[in-house]
Amino acid sequence: MTQLTIPIGAHDITFMQLALELAAQAAAAGEVPVGAVVVRDGVVLGTGCNSPIQSRDPSAHAEMVALRAAAKAVGNYRLDDCTLYVTLEPCAMCSGAILSGRIKRLVFGAQEPKTGCAGSVLNLFDYPALNHQTQLEGGLLAEQSAQLLAQFFQQRRAQQRQTAEPLREDALRTPARCFENLPGYDWQPHYVSDLPALAGLRMHYLDEGPMDAADVLLCLHPVPGWSYHFRHAMDVWVEKGLRVLAPDLIGFGKSDKPKRENIHSPEFHARYLWELLERLELKSITLVADPADPLAQLLLAGASQRIQSLQSDFPVPEQDPAQQAAAFDAPFPDVGHRAGERAFAAYNLHSVKIQP
């Protein structure tokens, strides 16, 4: 990390906070959230935020936009005695422009490990043979800058997944934000939507442990509930070398939730679970479920060559009741998302509940 070489003052924090506000504006416009501010003697001469997409200009980085505005304001391309504040370590293009503009001091927030040219990939400001040297400081409000970037890319990945896996008009999909920071649930998500029985609905499932494990557990969550139900037991099972498959039934958890209740039946849910087991080519499976559950009985009967046994108990440590209730409600932000619960209650698909 580039070391701070000049004491940071309150005014530096103020201007970096302004740069963060500009970065947030970029994010709202769909641009990578980077903001920049050019200041001389406490006066803001130019500001900028990332806009290459909107402007159709590959050079429209936040630093470049701010430098152009400042140069126009002073009537000179040379910006002597100016400080440039930017939320992200500059790239090679912006670093060159900073040096060409004779910026006296550069203060940046988060590092850019892929393209940063102020110390990460290389340091263009550390060449004494150049005819100008810019004082360099990094790490000011770095955490806030990095968090803004992380949130932006997380949202963009979610949007890309949505585009890649379109949502049926007759279904709902719980927003990803509803599942953030759930205690004990940091497993890698997996999704499938091209199984014939799903007919375009997207199903979420967990698949942990060695892919070549001889023994596999298929965990069928109770209703109400979802794969979060098995969060504690999965740690134990994976440590034992087992492969653990924990799907969210359609209508529950992170899976799509049809608006109509009549889609739900033991046969429907068994059909796509059979197809998933075939897709993953799983054998020697132990079904972890309530033995009185009609869905479990269908799976045992229909996949007897794959499912060898049934297990109804697993480790369940104590948890704060309020925290647990909030986690189990996470997939259902409103009553419209609970059609599956209502259908299961009507059909009495899970007559005996396993306590979470």
Side-chain angles (χ1 to χ4, degrees):
M1 180 65 191
T2 303
Q3 298 297 314
L4 296 176
T5 57
I6 298 175
I8 290 293
H11 62 286
D12 291 316
I13 296 175
T14 297
F15 292 128
M16 186 60 84
Q17 287 173 334
L18 175 57
L20 283 169
E21 293 175 6
L22 292 163
Q25 292 177 21
E31 305 275 2
V32 175
V34 182
V37 180
V38 177
V39 177
R40 177 190 285 167
D41 297 328
V43 177
V44 174
L45 299 179
T47 62
C49 58
N50 260 7
S51 58
I53 298 174
Q54 287 189 329
S55 63
R56 298 178 177 84
D57 179 2
S59 70
H61 289 195
E63 303 95 307
M64 302 293 286
V65 175
L67 290 170
R68 289 170 183 151
K72 185 176 182 180
V74 300
N76 194 327
Y77 80 94
R78 292 192 173 184
L79 298 170
D80 300 315
D81 298 321
C82 288
T83 297
L84 172 65
Y85 299 87
V86 61
T87 58
L88 184 66
E89 181 182 358
C91 66
M93 174 185 68
C94 296
S95 297
I98 290 167
L99 291 166
S100 295
R102 306 297 197 273
I103 292 291
K104 179 179 181 180
R105 181 170 169 246
L106 166 65
V107 181
F108 69 87
Q111 287 182 289
E112 173 45 270
K114 295 182 179 179
T115 62
C117 289
S120 290
V121 177
L122 55 88
N123 191 348
L124 291 178
F125 301 93
D126 192 28
Y127 287 87
L130 292 175
N131 63 349
H132 176 76
Q133 276 72 49
T134 294
Q135 298 169 345
L136 182 62
E137 305 168 36
L140 181 61
L141 302 187
E143 184 176 349
Q144 293 91 322
S145 299
Q147 183 178 11
L148 193 60
L149 286 159
Q151 291 173 345
F152 172 81
F153 286 113
Q154 183 181 37
Q155 182 179 13
R156 190 162 76 172
R157 285 191 295 270
Q159 291 171 342
Q160 289 171 342
R161 287 195 298 269
Q162 176 78 17
T163 302
E165 298 175 339
L167 179 63
R168 278 178 25 175
E169 292 184 358
D170 62 343
L172 299 171
R173 185 172 293 167
T174 305
R177 65 177 182 275
C178 294
F179 301 102
E180 293 176 354
N181 303 318
L182 289 179
Y185 194 79
D186 54 356
W187 308 102
Q188 178 68 33
H190 298 269
Y191 295 95
V192 61
S193 58
D194 61 347
L195 299 175
L198 290 174
L201 293 169
R202 190 180 75 168
M203 182 179 68
H204 166 261
Y205 64 97
L206 302 178
D207 191 356
E208 296 292 334
M211 296 296 102
D212 59 351
D215 298 312
V216 179
L217 299 181
L218 172 61
C219 302
L220 187 62
H221 67 76
V223 175
W226 55 294
S227 57
Y228 185 80
H229 183 87
F230 299 102
R231 65 200 178 282
H232 297 301
M234 288 185 68
D235 284 317
V236 178
W237 288 328
V238 170
E239 287 180 3
K240 291 181 177 180
L242 300 173
R243 182 175 177 179
V244 184
L245 190 72
D248 285 332
L249 298 179
I250 291 297
F252 301 89
K254 294 186 176 182
S255 292
D256 284 351
K257 299 168 180 64
K259 300 175 185 178
R260 294 181 292 109
E261 297 177 17
N262 60 3
I263 192 174
H264 296 281
S265 69
E267 292 77 15
F268 165 67
H269 294 286
R271 196 174 304 117
Y272 64 74
L273 290 175
W274 287 331
E275 293 173 352
L276 179 64
L277 298 181
E278 292 176 358
R279 169 73 60 84
L280 299 178
E281 298 181 343
L282 297 179
K283 297 180 180 179
S284 300
I285 300 170
T286 295
L287 179 62
V288 181
D290 175 2
D293 179 0
L295 177 54
Q297 295 168 10
L298 275 176
L299 289 172
L300 287 167
S304 58
Q305 293 182 344
R306 297 181 182 276
I307 300 177
Q308 308 298 323
S309 60
L310 177 68
Q311 176 181 330
S312 61
D313 61 334
F314 54 89
V316 182
E318 293 184 1
Q319 183 175 329
D320 176 73
Q323 189 179 60
Q324 178 173 276
F328 274 90
D329 284 340
F332 311 110
D334 55 52
V335 295
H337 288 71
R338 294 185 180 271
E341 278 194 2
R342 294 192 294 272
F344 270 61
Y347 298 137
N348 194 27
L349 295 186
H350 285 236
S351 58
V352 179
K353 303 295 190 300
I354 304 174
Q355 293 301 317

